[in-house]
Amino acid sequence: MSTNKPIYACMRSIGAYAPPKVLTNADLEKMVDTSDEWIVKRTGIRERRIADADTATSDLAVEAARDAISRAGIEKEEIDLVLCATVTPDYFNMPATACVISHKLGIKNVQAFDISAACSGFVYGLSIARAFVEAGIKRNVLLIGAEKFSSIVDYTDRSTCILFGDGAGAAIISATEDRDEGIVDIHASADGTYADFLMTPAPGSVHPASCEVIEQGLQYIKMKGNETFKLAVKTLTRDVREILLKNGIEADAIDHFVPHQANYRIIKAVGDALKLKEEQIILTVHKYGNTSAASIPMAINEIYEEGRLRYGDLMLLDTFGGGLTWASALLPFAGRN
Ligand code: UT7
């Protein structure tokens, strides 16, 4: 590649992995005071996947990454940056899960670090990968969103335990000279005013690990669900409208709207605001629940494996999560089936 031509970052491949164990709404009915009817009506979720006790977030990530690497048609030696978006890392707080993943994949001597942006982590990671590639610093970034959310869920708290699942998704973000393959735009924002809407209070410097922390259940996810829901709909509707307008793209030009899979009602509200047709909206929330940073790459992988995602298809991604963070992205798929 000549150095004087502009370089663009493109999504060259996608892969994903969901652990085999299924946790259904019927299973949850036996664990907490809830019902299949309530869960389906309020969230659209029917089941989610749960990793075994001896499976770490990095193990889920490795499975997804292997598919992404082979589908990109590159050797692992060509990867020069490994990014893992996760809020359920193998270890709090070091080493980074990206380092563990690199080791398990046999990728040596590359820069590797984690991104902590909760459910927005994959799109945040996409913006970081893009910056490294378009600056000419890296050529093939392995970008992963992986979560073992079951490790921070309180299975006696009906307001959260019905929502989350485990899984991983991965993509290769590569350098290209073909502008048509490149990422069009990414918006990524945060507002710490709402930090307490979605948090795991411990362990951390505020509440280091202690018996008291465990007794109080501070290691589990806490969420102000309804407040988060309202803000998510308002923010995402505004954000996707802005990114389309800024880039002069009409909603009907989007081949696949791939939203973060937190709640069917949030996805529907944003889809309706853009007047999207049903076939444009990618839904996996019914079978995987909310897998946080993994949800968008898992959803992209779903349509790839169904043969619905073609080279050049335009995708609109949007996401909202703890921080609070949110992000949207416009990009063509630059992989081959
Ligand atoms: O991924 C990061 C971003 N996350 C999100 O965007 C999640 C956003 N939030 C949501 O998806 C929704 O707020 C929930 C699905 C979590 C909750 O739905 P909601 O319609 O906002 O319900 P609510 O929290 O206002 O609760 C309504 C009622 C309450 O009972 P009362 O006070 O009205 O008697 C809850 O106690 O539903 C009750 N409830 C349940 N009932 C049966 C809460 N959880 C359950 C449950 N089963 N699992």
Side-chain angles (χ1 to χ4, degrees), residues 13 42 118 174 186 211 225 295:
S13 70
R42 300 287 182 122
S174 293
I186 303 175
C211 293
S295 99

Side-chain angles (χ1 to χ4, degrees), residues 79-144:
I79 293 167
D80 44 15
L81 175 61
V82 177
L83 299 176
C84 181
T86 186
V87 285
T88 49
D90 282 15
Y91 305 101
F92 288 96
N93 279 303
M94 59 180 146
T97 305
C99 299
V100 180
I101 295 165
S102 303
H103 169 66
K104 287 183 177 174
L105 287 170
I107 300 173
K108 294 187 192 306
N109 300 320
V110 295
Q111 190 173 356
F113 61 94
D114 287 357
I115 298 155
S116 176
C119 303
S120 307
F122 185 79
V123 185
Y124 264 56
L126 194 62
S127 74
I128 296 167
R130 181 194 192 196
F132 269 102
V133 168
E134 297 195 348
I137 299 167
K138 306 288 182 192
R139 294 192 51 88
N140 291 297
V141 181
L142 171 57
L143 170 62
I144 298 159

Side-chain angles (χ1 to χ4, degrees), residues 1-24:
M1 192 181 284
S2 82
T3 48
N4 52 5
K5 283 194 180 168
I7 300 168
Y8 304 97
C10 70
M11 184 179 285
R12 194 57 90 197
S13 70
I14 193 76
Y17 178 74
K21 190 173 153 199
V22 175
L23 182 69
T24 64

Side-chain angles (χ1 to χ4, degrees), residues 34 38 42-43 119 158 225-226 260 263 265-266 290 320:
T34 191
W38 191 96
R42 300 287 182 122
T43 71
C119 303
R158 69 175 182 174
N226 197 262
H260 170 48
N263 186 318
R265 290 186 294 139
I266 299 176
N290 182 347
F320 192 88

